[in-house]
């Protein structure tokens, strides 16, 4: 297991003077140290060094790698799963500290808790105590400060005294009111509660992250935390987060005198509170609540890790007060961890839509929390090696081998995963797992790409087979026929799946011989008559002549979206020129690479992807077959005399005068670059009704904002 090093050690030898041996040793040590800091900062909420100290370590690490590039191997920190979000939010001191709760595990602990309260308040045995019983949401606690009804600050809990200012990000959450509803509001109100992500949204987000080769989150809590810790609020805005209000900090006048009254008041103010919250008046009722919620747990859309009981009367809460950092008037009654021990009997590699190779652990079936588990996610290569820093909760430094005895856990009731490997039980014959470097479906090379910006290796290994990989073929065909590529009417997702299943469509070129080879069979298919078949083939024929940028986009080269395709098309002008250049790039021809690099929108990432694609012989053959079927039209020369040529434009809000696709096409035809996000480099933001965060970003950067009419005037 990796040692935890909490102290920063700075080596004084300048990087230029390090011997190879020193560099190796220091690189390894720094890597461990930084990984430890990352973990404490991002996952444990407990950084042990200042941001400046951290940056210093990181700088030296990068400098060593820059001098000895071959250190960027599998063990390099650059290989860590995904990119870490930016560090350094402003600190906020909580007006009232944010404390934590004492835990109860057994029913007797609850009996003791109620007994303590009774004794402390000197209540008679028959004096009822009312409790608000609430689910304990497994998210991130947040303190929202409202002054005169307006949200002014949102802060994380941090160490309880001081948290991080995440106001800009919190403003993107719909369930957090910007303004409190109601009249006669206390001038200062701090509402506290939990930010969370639903299980369904967590799974969807991870799916997207996986496709993008980005950070995979271990559970909904981590993904909510990661989403909130974004430096760019538009990223947080794209992540579906919810908020339950359940407590308060500073309030200038109390609007209620019970916990339940406060919860009602939060609802009046416009907050969501948890619908399962219930009043309980005895130990029996509390325990029954715990049992009932425990039964509902796996069916809930969000993670909970227990229930919380709170004395309802706030005057009693005041009298009971706190013992060190936890209140005497509340307790968390936890649910038992859902874990089990079993054997890993194999590792399957699944190939996803973009060719991502995902390892799935095969288990000796075992019951965990009421379900039989046979598969376990192993995330990616680094996780199996035990170096996936974000591959929590596996213990750092533990690799996973077939034959291992593993402790598994159902993280947030959702995906089972490995928590630990029982090393004592590791069979002598168990060897470190060798992750395949060839696609198990098609045999093409499977590679890990470098992220050009961070220099890190993608967490995901991908099959470079493209169209020739069965697993990817269908999805690629869908892309190929889609509106922005070949735009073939009547060849939608369903039809592609059907035709692929029938064996009529294996690769794009097959689309153009469909009529000749399969017309008869198609007519026999249910739902196909003379007219629909004629229409389909007419739609296909209409695309036998096609613009170069559409062809390039339709090839399905990774990282080559429409904009990049357009740039390549404009840069090379003709299919022949593009094709020749791509082949040279794939062979590593320096001049060809430099030429491609010089094009707008193109950098290392695209060049690497083009290389992978055109290196693969089977891709080349499929491309040859395709271009025999179609006439690729030369690219339109961009207009350079328009007022917006060379400018960067962002469209936002719901546009009323034109569709977004239309706006984009027009802008690009006039030589402008259309971007999805606003930065200092943006020249114009064209805002329709309902424009939100991008508009705010534009104002921040002093970017010219145009209405739709003003834009039309500019380009007319
Ligand atoms: S009350 C003074 N109520 O649990 C205690 N906390 O271990 C105020 N939590 O940091 C917290 N659901 O993040 C309270 N219904 C609930 C909760 C809840 C989740 C979390 C919260 C807190 C932690 C305490």
């Amino acid at each position: 297991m990796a040692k935890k090093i909490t102290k920063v050690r700075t080596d004084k030898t300048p990087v230029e003077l390090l011997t190879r041996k020193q560099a190796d040793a220091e690189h390894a040590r720094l890597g461990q140290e930084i990984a430890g800091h990352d973990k404490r900062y991002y996952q444990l909420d407990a950084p042990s060094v200042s941001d400046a100290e951290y940056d210093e370590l990181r700088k030296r690490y990068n400098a060593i790698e820059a001098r000895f590039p071959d250190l960027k191997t599998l063990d390099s920190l650059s290989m860590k799963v995904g990119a870490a979000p930016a560090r350094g939010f402003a600190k906020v001191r909580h007006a009232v500290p944010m404390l934590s709760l004492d835990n109860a595990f057994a029913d007797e602990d609850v009996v003791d808790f109620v007994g303590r309260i009774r004794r402390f308040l000197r209540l008679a045995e028959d004096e009822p105590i009312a409790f608000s019983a609430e689910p304990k949401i497994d998210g991130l606690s947040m303190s929202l400060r409202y002054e005169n009804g307006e949200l002014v600050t949102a802060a994380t809990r941090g160490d309880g005294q001081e948290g991080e200012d995440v106001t800009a990000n919190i403003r993107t959450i719909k369930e957090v009111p910007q303004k409190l509803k109601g009249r006669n509001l206390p001038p200062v109100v701090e509402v506290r509660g939990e930010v969370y992500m639903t299980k369904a949204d967590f799974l969807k987000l991870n799916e997207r992250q996986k496709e993008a080769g980005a950070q995979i989150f271990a559970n909904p809590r981590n993904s909510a935390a990661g989403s909130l810790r974004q430096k760019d609020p538009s990223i947080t805005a794209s992540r579906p987060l919810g908020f339950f209000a359940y407590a308060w900090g500073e309030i200038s006048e109390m609007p209620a005198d019970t916990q339940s009254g406060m919860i009602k008041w939060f609802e009046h103010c416009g907050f969501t509170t948890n619908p399962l919250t219930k009043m309980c008046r005895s130990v029996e009722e509390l325990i029954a609540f715990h049992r009932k919620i425990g039964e509902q747990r796996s069916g809930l859309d969000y993670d909970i890790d227990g229930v919380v009981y709170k004395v309802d009367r706030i005057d009693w809460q005041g009298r009971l007060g706190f013992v060190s950092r936890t209140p005497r008037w509340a307790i968390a009654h936890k649910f038992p961890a859902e874990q089990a021990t079993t054997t890993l009997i194999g590792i399957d590699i699944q190939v996803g839509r973009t060719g991502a190779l995902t390892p799935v652990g095969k288990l000796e079936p075992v019951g965990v929390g009421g379900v039989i588990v046979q598969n376990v996610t192993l995330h990616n290569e680094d996780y199996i090696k035990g170096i996936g820093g974000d591959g929590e909760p596996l213990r750092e430094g533990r690799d996973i081998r077939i034959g291992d005895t593993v402790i598994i856990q159902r993280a947030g009731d959702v995906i089972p995963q490995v928590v630990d490997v029982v090393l004592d039980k590791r069979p002598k014959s168990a060897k470190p797992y060798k992750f395949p470097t060839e696609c198990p479906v098609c045999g093409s090379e499977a590679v890990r790409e470098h992220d050009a910006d961070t220099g890190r290796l993608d967490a995901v290994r991908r099959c470079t087979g493209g169209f020739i990989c069965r697993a990817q073929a269908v999805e690629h065909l869908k892309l190929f026929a889609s509106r922005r590529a070949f735009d073939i009417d009547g060849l939608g997702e369903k039809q592609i799946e059907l035709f692929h299943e029938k064996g009529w469509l294996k690769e794009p070129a097959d689309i153009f011989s469909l009529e000749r080879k399969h017309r008869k069979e198609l007519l026999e298919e249910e739902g196909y008559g003379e007219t629909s078949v004629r229409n389909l083939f007419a739609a296909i024929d209409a695309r036998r002549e096609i613009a170069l940028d559409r062809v390039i986009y339709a090839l399905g080269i990774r990282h080559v979206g429409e904009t990049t395709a357009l740039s390549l098309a404009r840069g090379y002008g003709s299919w022949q020129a593009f094709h020749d250049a791509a082949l040279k790039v794939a062979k590593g021809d320096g001049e060809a690479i430099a030429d491609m690099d010089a094009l707008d929108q193109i950098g290392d990432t695209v060049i690497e992807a083009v290389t992978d694609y055109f290196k693969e012989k089977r891709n080349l053959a499929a491309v040859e077959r395709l271009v025999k079927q179609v006439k690729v039209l030369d690219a339109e020369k961009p207009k350079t005399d328009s007022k917006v040529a060379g400018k960067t434009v962002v469209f936002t809000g719901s546009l009323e005068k034109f569709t977004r696709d239309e706006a984009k096409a027009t802008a690009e035809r006039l030589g402008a670059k259309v971007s999805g996000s606003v930065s200092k480099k943006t020249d114009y933001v064209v805002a329709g009704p309902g424009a939100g965060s991008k508009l705010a970003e534009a104002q921040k950067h002093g970017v010219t904002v145009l209405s739709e009419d003003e834009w039309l005037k500019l380009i007319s």
Side-chain angles (χ1 to χ4, degrees), residues 99-101 103 134-141 157 193-194 246-247 305 308 310 322 327 329-330 332:
L99 302 172
S100 60
L101 295 168
N103 291 326
E134 311 167 2
K136 185 170 187 295
I137 318 298
D138 196 8
L140 265 103
S141 49
R157 185 172 115 167
E194 206 84 354
Y246 56 65
D305 55 351
V308 185
K310 300 173 184 171
F322 297 85
W329 46 266

Side-chain angles (χ1 to χ4, degrees), residues 385-612:
K385 278 176 178 282
I387 57 171
D390 293 311
E392 270 227 297
L394 181 67
R395 279 234 214 130
E396 240 175 276
R398 290 274 154 100
D399 75 322
I400 304 173
R401 304 180 184 187
I402 296 172
D404 267 339
T405 297
V406 289
I407 299 173
I408 60 154
Q409 167 176 297
R410 290 179 63 215
D413 292 331
V414 190
I415 320 172
Q417 49 190 347
V418 178
V419 190
D420 206 356
V421 174
V422 185
L423 288 183
D424 296 348
K425 293 201 179 165
R426 174 168 281 173
K428 287 228 166 58
S429 59
K431 296 200 182 63
Y433 178 70
K434 262 216 182 108
F435 202 92
T437 52
E438 278 179 6
C439 172
V441 174
C442 72
S444 301
E445 195 190 350
V447 298
R448 291 177 66 165
E449 295 171 4
H450 275 286
D451 182 319
D453 296 332
T454 62
R456 287 178 169 192
L457 254 199
D458 213 349
V460 178
R461 189 174 282 281
R462 278 172 212 277
C463 165
T464 51
F467 284 122
I468 57 109
C469 179
R470 197 168 10 91
Q472 297 175 68
V474 172
E475 294 302 326
H476 271 187
L477 282 164
K478 288 178 188 170
L479 169 89
F480 187 89
S482 69
R483 208 158 43 86
R484 289 160 182 198
F486 268 63
D487 190 19
I488 302 176
D489 258 353
L491 195 56
E493 305 207 343
K494 268 203 207 124
Q495 291 81 10
I496 288 175
E497 270 161 27
L498 174 74
F499 298 173
H500 186 265
E501 199 185 293
K502 297 261 168 208
W504 305 341
L505 283 192
K506 290 201 185 73
E507 60 174 48
D510 296 339
I511 294 175
F512 297 96
S513 53
L514 200 59
E515 179 167 21
R516 189 162 45 79
K517 292 188 180 157
H518 302 289
R519 185 170 206 283
K520 264 210 194 115
E521 290 154 282
L522 185 57
L523 274 168
E524 283 159 21
E525 275 304 309
E526 204 181 296
Y528 280 97
E530 277 292 345
T531 319
S532 55
V533 168
R534 195 172 338 110
N535 287 346
L536 172 63
F537 292 133
I540 293 175
D541 285 341
R543 296 295 178 261
R544 287 184 194 269
E545 274 192 12
I546 181 109
L548 176 58
D549 60 303
R550 283 180 179 266
V551 176
I552 297 176
Y553 172 60
L555 294 180
I557 305 168
R558 260 182 44 86
H559 302 298
V560 177
E562 290 163 275
T563 321
T564 315
L566 189 64
S567 177
L568 287 166
R570 286 180 175 163
Y572 292 106
S574 69
W575 169 258
Q576 200 55 54
F578 166 72
H579 184 246
D580 292 351
L583 290 180
K584 282 189 189 156
V585 167
K587 291 212 176 86
D589 179 319
E591 209 174 310
I593 291 174
D595 284 348
M596 192 172 281
D597 197 29
L599 297 177
D600 195 23
Q601 306 276 326
I602 315 282
D604 292 350
T605 312
V606 171
I607 289 174
E608 218 177 302
V610 167
T611 304
D612 287 338

Side-chain angles (χ1 to χ4, degrees), residues 552-704:
I552 297 176
Y553 172 60
L555 294 180
I557 305 168
R558 260 182 44 86
H559 302 298
V560 177
E562 290 163 275
T563 321
T564 315
L566 189 64
S567 177
L568 287 166
R570 286 180 175 163
Y572 292 106
S574 69
W575 169 258
Q576 200 55 54
F578 166 72
H579 184 246
D580 292 351
L583 290 180
K584 282 189 189 156
V585 167
K587 291 212 176 86
D589 179 319
E591 209 174 310
I593 291 174
D595 284 348
M596 192 172 281
D597 197 29
L599 297 177
D600 195 23
Q601 306 276 326
I602 315 282
D604 292 350
T605 312
V606 171
I607 289 174
E608 218 177 302
V610 167
T611 304
D612 287 338
Y613 192 94
F614 284 91
K615 225 170 49 187
E616 193 57 58
K617 285 208 179 64
R618 286 175 283 193
N619 278 349
L620 291 183
V623 168
E624 292 316 321
R625 286 191 288 270
L626 169 68
V627 292
K628 277 201 189 119
Q629 303 280 348
V630 295
K631 180 173 173 206
V632 185
L633 303 173
D634 288 352
E636 248 180 73
K637 283 270 166 283
K639 290 204 176 177
T640 44
D641 53 348
S642 86
K643 282 206 188 104
V644 297
K647 305 278 188 210
T648 302
V649 189
V650 174
F651 293 96
T652 183
S654 53
L655 303 173
E656 289 174 334
K657 302 267 155 100
F658 30 74
T659 67
R660 204 161 279 235
D661 285 343
E662 214 181 314
K664 189 161 186 272
T666 314
E668 283 172 353
R669 193 159 30 80
L670 295 172
K673 199 169 109 188
V674 178
S675 167
S677 60
V678 180
S679 73
K680 273 186 293 195
K681 291 188 192 155
T682 311
D683 295 292
Y684 300 111
V685 168
V686 182
S693 60
K694 286 186 192 158
L695 195 54
E697 276 295 294
Q699 275 147 0
K700 195 173 100 194
H701 294 299
V703 174
T704 310

